[in-house]
Amino acid sequence: MNVKQLLRCICASTLLAAHVAGAEDAPAAASPPADTVFISKSAPFLDEGLIAKNIIEECGLPESQIKLLREKAEKSGVSLSENEAAVAGMTGKVLALETTNAISSGNAFVGHRKQVAVRGKLFDNGAEIGNFLAIRNSMGGIGAGFIGSCAVLYRCQGAIAEDILKWLKNPIKDARLGDQ
């Protein structure tokens, strides 16, 4: 072996040893806390045929329900994690949500009627441990004539998110949440 080959071998060995040592010192990827509840990226419509076309096209309710739930979870101390693989495999605690209904009728002159209904099931490694139906209604509130329909529906979803987070702290079967 000549000097050049020997130096290459020493350099390669040194780099490999440094890499292995660095890998041992590197922290492991953080795993979610044991009480984390896995959710999907949306709460899809159970049947789009039941929902007005303008709501489907303009409001994005399936995604906004999850967004509001995640935002409020941080403040309520509930650990949620979007994880499609865990949801599909029913691995760990999984909250499956679907939007069963959304109504947006009325106007500033005759009054508004808005409603969102969400059904959820909580699973622990595939076994159902609780379920609910959550419904929230709104007539728009003060200044409703100046608030868009989607914004009022989002308010309903925000209230539903708070209801779900309270329920997750003590899940039961056949719970009725919200305005019912």
Side-chain angles (χ1 to χ4, degrees), residues 32 37-38 54 64 68 76 80 85-86 89 101 111 122-123 128 158 177:
V37 176
F38 297 111
N54 64 322
S64 64
L68 290 163
S76 73
L80 292 180
N101 204 1
L122 182 63
F123 298 92
E128 186 177 319
L177 309 178

Side-chain angles (χ1 to χ4, degrees), residues 40-94:
S40 188
K41 64 182 177 183
S42 74
F45 292 117
L46 175 64
D47 182 353
E48 285 191 6
L50 299 175
I51 312 298
K53 188 176 177 182
N54 64 322
I55 294 174
I56 293 171
E57 292 175 353
E58 298 170 18
C59 298
L61 296 183
E63 294 77 21
S64 64
Q65 183 66 68
I66 299 301
K67 179 183 178 216
L68 290 163
L69 188 62
R70 276 194 337 259
E71 287 172 2
K72 293 178 181 293
E74 293 173 13
K75 297 173 187 166
S76 73
V78 174
S79 177
L80 292 180
S81 177
E82 275 186 35
N83 186 324
E84 297 295 332
V87 172
M90 291 291 177
T91 306
K93 285 194 177 177
V94 172

Side-chain angles (χ1 to χ4, degrees), residues 4 20 27 55 88 97 105 117 151 171-172:
K4 274 186 173 179
V20 170
I55 294 174
L97 297 174
S105 63
I172 60 171

Side-chain angles (χ1 to χ4, degrees), residues 18 20 24 27-28 43 60 71 76 79 85-86 135 138 144 151 153 163 166 170 172:
V20 170
E24 290 173 359
E71 287 172 2
S76 73
S79 177
I135 299 174
S138 178
L153 291 170
D163 296 334
K166 287 178 190 171
N170 185 27
I172 60 171

